[in-house]
Structures are given as C-alpha cells and as structure tokens.
Amino acid sequence: MSAAPTARYEVFAAYARARALVREGAVGGARVRAALSPAERAAFARLRPAGARRDYLAAHTLAAAMRAAMRAAEAGSRGGPPPAGARVADRGAAGPLALSLSHAGGVVLCAAGRGCAIGADVESLANVGHEPLALTDEVLAPSEQRALRAWPTPVRAARLACSWTVKEAVAKATGLGVGLPFAWIAVRWDQRGAPRVELDARLVHDARRWWLWQWWPSATHVATVAACAPSAARVTIRVEPLLGEDGTGAGRGEREAGERKRPDLVAVVRVPLHQQHDADFAQGP
C-alpha cells in the first residue's frame, strides 16, 4: 500500500521600500487611507512621525496588491502579463487566505498563503539603536539576555533584531500577538551564529508544524516569516522584492540583490514541559 501524499503549502512573501509604493500626501495615499477599515484608520491616526504614517500606508498598499494578485492567479487570469505576485498560484491548499504585514524604517513586508497560519515581521537596526541591552527586558527572557551580553558589542544589535522578529512573527501566527509571553519563544545561537528557535510546550504540541524563515532585505533590516501548518506538512516560501526605488518594478540590480538575500530556514524545536520555565531553558553561548 502506498503512503498517503504529504500535504504541501506555499507561502509568498514580498517586500519593498515604502517610498516606492506610496507618498502619504499624494492622491495614492488618500486612496489607501479611504480603503482602511475603521480599526486601521484609528491605528493610522495614532501615528505621528511622517515616516511611520508613510510606512503604514505602504504596508497596506502591498497587502492589497498581494490579495489581488493571488486572487487573479487562482482564477487563472488570461490576457496580458500577470500582475506582480501572480505566479503564486494556489497549490491545492484549502482554507481562507492568511495574510500578515509589517513595516519598519522605510521597508514594508507582507506574507500570504492558504492552509496555514502566517506571521511576518521586519525590524530596522535603527529602531534597536546603539544600546540594544536597554531593550532586552521587553523582548528577551533572562537567559537570552545573558547570552546576548556574551556576544561582542558590534553584533548585539543584529542578534536582538533577529530575535525580535522571530518572536513577533510567531506571536502573529498564533493569533495572540502582544498577548503572547515572549519568554515562551526562545532564540538561541550556535557558535557559527545560526539561530535555533525553541517553542515552549504551553505554546505548541508539535514543533514540526512550524516553519520559520529569516533574511536581511537590506543591510539594516531583518525579516522573519513564520508559518504554522495544520499538520506536520511541508511548507515552502517564495520571497521577492516587488518594487524598485522608482516604483516601476524591481530593476535588474535589485532583483540580483534579492536573489542573494534568500531566506534561511530556521531550526525549530519544542521545549518539553519540564523545561517550561526560563531557568530550565538551554543556555546560549
């Protein structure tokens, strides 16, 4: 008797520079604002810095474009070139479209797919600052803080940003968001600098359902996408920079740079129940 085929899911992620997508004071920005939900309009109204407002609108612009592209691809659109992202055809995965978006420091990120829960987060090193240890209390568990202090000062900001995006992406994928204790998600680093994510048993029962990818869309931004499949299925990701600086589409140089920034699969393990407290977590370097 042949084995049952293993379910496969595909996640599509796209990122762009916010200024290539929208200008907050332009007609396009007004159109995007008009399409926001009441809750999104309220969140936008709370933003004060002009850059943050532009990034927020750009992230929602990218999300709308991805929704339209995926629907067109699934409907088998014909005639003329497919829209950006239309090659993300549905591979048979059932369920509603899951979509997650993020923005930081002029870069916007959106991840989408069907059949699994998705969380996406991008962070800028500028937001971490020159004193990353000052932010660790709200992001890292005590053992992670000790491990971060053991790393050389020049790499601490990058390590914290990487850990931060992992935790945010997983929290979004669970649907709990800021309600999820970040201590339940531990990021450890081996001597080569490769991350390993430990998920507390109170959060997951089967780590094989989780897939995480991380990459640097720019020299100062790190992005993480998390996906949780309904079973121990295989999940793949496709990442593409959609727009260049001029907003007309990614140019050759940016596409080549994007090809060198392919996401790395992050090892995910489940922390047993008897290791559910921070003191029991495996210590980092």
Side-chain angles (χ1 to χ4, degrees):
M1 180 180 295
S2 59
T6 302
R8 296 173 65 94
Y9 300 91
E10 185 176 44
V11 174
F12 178 69
Y15 63 90
R17 293 199 177 275
R19 61 174 174 266
L21 285 171
V22 67
R23 287 180 297 165
E24 199 249 309
V27 175
R31 188 180 303 115
V32 176
R33 288 198 300 273
L36 296 176
S37 69
E40 291 167 344
R41 290 195 196 101
F44 176 76
R46 291 193 294 269
L47 297 174
R48 289 294 175 261
R53 294 167 68 87
R54 176 205 60 200
D55 291 358
Y56 188 90
L57 293 180
H60 285 271
T61 299
L62 181 58
M66 288 188 66
R67 285 193 191 97
M70 293 187 71
R71 287 169 181 160
E74 292 167 2
S77 61
R78 297 176 182 176
R87 59 180 177 175
V88 193
D90 184 21
R91 304 279 174 132
L97 177 66
L99 187 144
S100 180
L101 55 90
S102 180
H103 55 86
V107 169
V108 296
L109 169 69
C110 184
R114 293 191 186 277
C116 52
I118 296 174
D121 194 65
V122 63
E123 192 52 75
S124 168
L125 292 183
N127 292 340
V128 175
H130 299 294
E131 297 294 338
L133 294 178
L135 300 174
T136 57
D137 287 346
E138 59 185 274
V139 179
L140 305 181
S143 63
E144 292 177 293
Q145 295 179 38
R146 293 191 294 270
L148 184 66
R149 293 189 183 96
W151 285 97
T153 301
V155 303
R156 287 176 182 168
R159 291 286 182 267
L160 177 58
C162 288
S163 297
W164 195 332
T165 61
V166 165
K167 291 168 184 272
E168 288 277 6
V170 171
K172 290 179 180 180
T174 64
L176 298 176
V178 296
L180 177 68
F182 272 1
W184 290 11
I185 311 163
V187 182
R188 311 298 178 191
W189 306 87
D190 62 22
Q191 296 298 331
R192 299 169 300 163
R196 164 179 157 150
V197 178
E198 298 174 351
L199 301 180
D200 193 285
R202 290 170 292 184
L203 176 61
V204 297
H205 297 289
D206 187 356
R208 294 175 302 171
R209 295 173 52 197
W210 282 88
W211 296 75
L212 275 74
W213 302 269
Q214 190 171 84
W215 74 101
W216 290 80
S218 80
T220 57
H221 292 80
V222 61
T224 297
V225 172
C228 183
S231 61
R234 178 171 178 77
V235 183
T236 58
I237 190 171
R238 191 189 298 261
V239 179
E240 182 180 3
L242 287 185
L243 295 178
E245 294 289 344
D246 60 357
T248 59
R252 178 180 177 184
E254 187 167 351
R255 283 191 180 276
E256 290 175 349
E259 291 171 359
R260 294 193 296 271
K261 297 166 186 170
R262 293 173 180 169
D264 294 320
L265 188 64
V266 179
V268 181
V269 297
R270 171 179 175 271
V271 181
L273 280 171
H274 68 273
Q275 292 183 333
Q276 64 186 6
H277 300 294
D278 178 72
D280 295 323
F281 279 143
Q283 296 298 306

